[in-house]
Amino acid sequence: MEKNSSLRLVRRSPWLFHFNSGGCNGCDIEVVASLTPKYDVERLGAILTSSPKHADILVVTGPVTRQTLGSLRMIYDQIPEPKVVLAIGTCACSGGVFRGGYNVIGGVDKVLKNVICIPGCPPNPRMIYSIIKKFYENQLGGADENGSSKPEKE
């Protein structure tokens, strides 16, 4: 599979900015677990930054709602190019159990580009670690015509 040039952005340690767009916090706990010493994405040099201006990867949990759409786009616009979005969990990938709600727009890939989906309710921190590791090693597969990508099975 040909690699998308927009996904080949890591020439250094990837810095993450986390945004919960309206989920149940189950995926937030798994993101935090991936940062703990047990899974330790920091050994790849990945750190959680408090400013999107310093981030390479936007980590989104939860479905995109009408209330959070403006904030999500504003944060995405502040991240310097090239940038990638990690949609953590089924809700961030497709809207999950919240899909069809009056205030739910759907998954992150409906509103942002270069989205890598990590499905699961919640996804295992090992999966989050393996995707960040592939990202760090520039081993991610190509994106579809919308700029979205699904992780390849190991």
Side-chain angles (χ1 to χ4, degrees):
M1 187 180 296
E2 183 177 317
K3 292 182 180 179
N4 185 339
S5 63
S6 64
L7 296 178
R8 291 186 207 157
L9 61 102
V10 175
R11 293 179 195 94
R12 57 183 169 87
S13 304
W15 286 22
L16 314 172
F17 184 83
H18 178 225
F19 181 74
N20 184 334
S21 61
C24 67
N25 296 348
C27 296
D28 298 331
I29 293 169
E30 301 304 323
V31 168
V32 171
S34 69
L35 294 165
T36 61
K38 183 173 183 178
Y39 301 102
D40 201 12
V41 294
E42 290 185 355
R43 74 179 114 170
L44 302 173
I47 60 170
L48 202 57
T49 181
S50 59
S51 172
K53 295 177 183 175
H54 300 147
D56 303 302
I57 303 172
L58 175 60
V59 177
V60 180
T61 55
V64 178
T65 64
R66 294 186 197 291
Q67 186 173 9
T68 60
L69 177 62
S71 299
L72 181 62
R73 283 193 174 145
M74 182 178 68
I75 290 169
Y76 180 80
D77 290 342
Q78 290 181 8
I79 296 175
E81 293 285 345
K83 54 191 162 191
V84 170
V85 179
L86 282 183
I88 307 285
T90 303
C91 296
C93 293
S94 66
V97 296
F98 302 105
R99 183 175 34 196
Y102 70 94
N103 62 341
V104 175
I105 294 172
V108 178
D109 59 342
K110 287 190 173 183
V111 295
L112 300 178
K113 292 184 176 182
N114 291 333
V115 177
I116 299 169
C117 290
I118 303 176
C121 188
N124 191 311
R126 285 188 198 125
M127 186 67 171
I128 298 169
Y129 173 80
S130 69
I131 295 299
I132 292 175
K133 184 178 179 188
K134 286 182 178 181
F135 183 76
Y136 178 75
E137 296 171 345
N138 285 326
Q139 294 181 349
L140 285 173
D144 62 15
E145 63 274 358
N146 297 326
S148 298
S149 177
K150 303 270 184 207
E152 298 172 3
K153 295 198 175 203
E154 294 183 19

